[in-house]
Amino acid sequence: MQSFTTEQIIRMGEEVGFTYKKLEFSIIGNYRSNDSLFNHRDIPHFNHLHANLAGGYGNEGIYYGEVVSFIRYFKFLGISFPILTLMKDDGRNRVLETFSFACFQFLKLNEEIDKEKDKCLSKITYFVGAKNSLVLKIFLPFFKKMFNKSFNDYKNDDWPYLNRRGDLRKNGFSFNKDDIDSFSYVDTLNIKKQNCFYLNPENQVNKIINISLDKLTNNEILKIGEIGIMGFQLYRKDNLIKIYPRVCPHEGGDLDINNEVGVTYTKDKFIDKKCRMRCNVHNRFFDPIVEIDITSSNKNYSSNVYDFILTNDKISINLKNKIDPTKADWSI
């Protein structure tokens, strides 16, 4: 199989008369290059984490393997244009997207550069090519506006999620995609698979969270704890209390109600979806970890990872003493 780099593609284009203009963007964050390389390969997140992507028209996957091909819908002058895009690895820590429209050729090179203290510099470079240099000059301001919008979507959606992965790692979590060579594009398709793990249960053993029943307002959702293994959301409906996690075990996404990043999941949507929480990255839905009936004689409840104890005025939650961190799914 022959694969060409960004530089080779541009050189071949120039040999047949293409002229290219370059537009560069960059941002640094508290995550690793393997986080952002995974994010580039993760086509399934496009339609859920990016509220503004492609004017709301979304993406359709076509082929997944060592490379991926997908249709991305762009809106121009009120008309939807389907653009077929090819994405592939382009050397170490580089991912290349290529597509064409009318007389223009586009290359989007994503480069991820690790820095000290688990920081990463993310660089995005667009190359726009055309044989007619005057047409390229006329349309370049429009392309600049389009690429600026795309980069703002990256800053507003991808970048916070990448920093979240960095924060979770510092709080005892790990991701099985930390070895970027161990997975391909097709490995991002199964959103039910646990790829995020909590490796330090001993740090939270004997740490008990107590929630007063007085704080649980009927038909409202209460967020408790930090974003981590001991963070929860509680929903009370009359005598029934449903308890949910705040971290998705698939890839560490945000399960919070009224999430700030991605398509917002409101309480009305929560109720409409049969009281299930939703991951902002891949639109996966979650039933409660446990349901507690405060009128029941049962005062002790247990899940895969937690013990729950109900008293007359509070619910106590603690992490179990013996947990296999490589297998424990805290959402069930």
Side-chain angles (χ1 to χ4, degrees):
M1 180 182 68
Q2 180 70 53
S3 180
F4 297 95
T5 66
T6 303
E7 293 78 12
Q8 288 172 326
I9 294 171
I10 292 173
R11 188 162 58 249
M12 288 187 294
E14 290 173 338
E15 289 175 354
V16 295
F18 274 77
T19 298
Y20 291 87
K21 294 295 184 180
K22 181 170 68 172
L23 302 169
E24 296 179 291
F25 304 88
S26 64
I27 191 169
I28 192 166
N30 297 309
Y31 51 88
R32 298 176 183 175
S33 63
N34 45 36
D35 293 316
S36 42
L37 288 166
F38 152 69
N39 185 63
H40 291 311
R41 294 177 178 181
D42 182 32
I43 307 303
H45 86 271
F46 285 176
N47 294 337
H48 309 298
L49 189 63
H50 297 284
N52 299 317
L53 184 63
Y57 278 72
N59 296 264
E60 296 177 11
I62 302 296
Y63 173 82
Y64 294 84
E66 294 302 318
V67 298
V68 65
S69 182
F70 57 94
I71 295 175
R72 175 171 289 172
Y73 291 90
F74 288 93
K75 191 175 182 180
F76 179 61
L77 299 178
I79 302 173
S80 173
F81 293 91
I83 306 296
L84 182 63
T85 300
L86 175 74
M87 182 185 292
K88 71 180 189 73
D89 290 353
D90 189 29
R92 189 71 181 176
N93 286 16
R94 305 195 336 168
V95 173
L96 173 65
E97 299 176 44
T98 63
F99 57 98
S100 61
F101 177 70
C103 62
F104 299 101
Q105 181 191 73
F106 301 89
L107 296 93
K108 178 186 177 185
L109 178 62
N110 307 285
E111 299 177 271
E112 306 299 335
I113 303 166
D114 283 311
K115 298 294 184 179
E116 295 180 349
K117 298 180 180 179
D118 277 343
K119 292 182 180 292
C120 178
L121 173 65
S122 297
K123 295 176 60 179
I124 300 175
T125 307
Y126 292 93
F127 299 90
V128 186
K131 282 193 173 183
N132 189 313
S133 58
L134 177 60
V135 171
L136 180 59
K137 183 177 181 180
I138 292 172
F139 279 87
L140 193 61
F142 167 74
F143 294 138
K144 285 182 178 179
K145 182 178 180 180
M146 183 175 71
F147 296 147
N148 266 302
K149 178 182 180 300
S150 178
F151 185 67
N152 284 333
D153 285 342
Y154 183 85
K155 288 194 299 183
N156 294 331
D157 303 329
D158 294 286
W159 192 70
Y161 169 56
L162 295 175
N163 281 284
R164 176 185 174 90
R165 285 172 72 94
D167 291 340
L168 287 172
R169 189 179 285 108
K170 292 175 182 177
N171 288 328
F173 290 80
S174 73
F175 301 89
N176 68 355
K177 291 186 176 64
D178 281 351
D179 179 5
I180 198 67
D181 297 321
S182 66
F183 74 98
S184 64
Y185 295 91
V186 72
D187 295 316
T188 65
L189 292 177
N190 184 3
I191 67 169
K192 298 292 187 180
K193 185 175 183 292
Q194 183 175 3
N195 296 319
C196 177
F197 303 91
Y198 185 69
L199 297 183
N200 302 110
E202 66 278 359
N203 292 348
Q204 299 290 344
V205 169
N206 299 323
K207 179 178 179 180
I208 299 175
I209 290 184
N210 296 307
I211 304 107
S212 172
L213 296 182
D214 292 339
K215 291 185 177 181
L216 299 176
T217 304
N218 193 50
N219 204 35
E220 294 294 338
I221 298 169
L222 177 68
K223 299 176 185 179
I224 292 292
E226 299 178 352
I227 307 301
I229 197 68
M230 294 300 284
F232 303 93
Q233 300 178 90
L234 292 88
Y235 173 66
R236 179 170 185 172
K237 183 62 175 176
D238 300 325
N239 293 323
L240 190 64
I241 298 172
K242 301 174 185 283
I243 302 179
Y244 303 84
R246 299 182 68 178
V247 178
C248 179
H250 173 50
E251 292 291 355
D254 186 1
L255 302 185
D256 277 7
I257 200 76
N258 294 323
N259 51 293
E260 296 181 355
V261 176
V263 179
T264 302
Y265 192 59
T266 64
K267 189 184 76 174
D268 288 342
K269 292 179 181 178
F270 164 80
I271 294 173
D272 184 60
K273 292 295 183 179
K274 299 179 180 179
C275 296
R276 293 179 297 166
M277 289 299 174
R278 189 211 65 175
C279 177
N280 71 324
V281 181
H282 295 108
N283 208 43
R284 176 180 168 183
F285 289 89
F286 289 81
D287 291 321
I289 305 171
V290 68
E291 296 184 9
I292 297 176
D293 185 345
I294 60 176
T295 65
S296 171
S297 59
N298 184 16
K299 303 300 180 184
N300 296 288
Y301 299 79
S302 183
S303 73
N304 197 28
V305 170
Y306 307 103
D307 288 319
F308 305 85
I309 300 174
L310 173 66
T311 61
N312 291 331
D313 60 347
K314 67 183 179 183
I315 296 174
S316 300
I317 309 174
N318 67 280
L319 208 63
K320 289 183 176 179
N321 288 325
K322 293 183 180 180
I323 299 172
D324 182 350
T326 64
K327 297 180 182 179
D329 181 346
W330 53 87
S331 69
I332 57 177

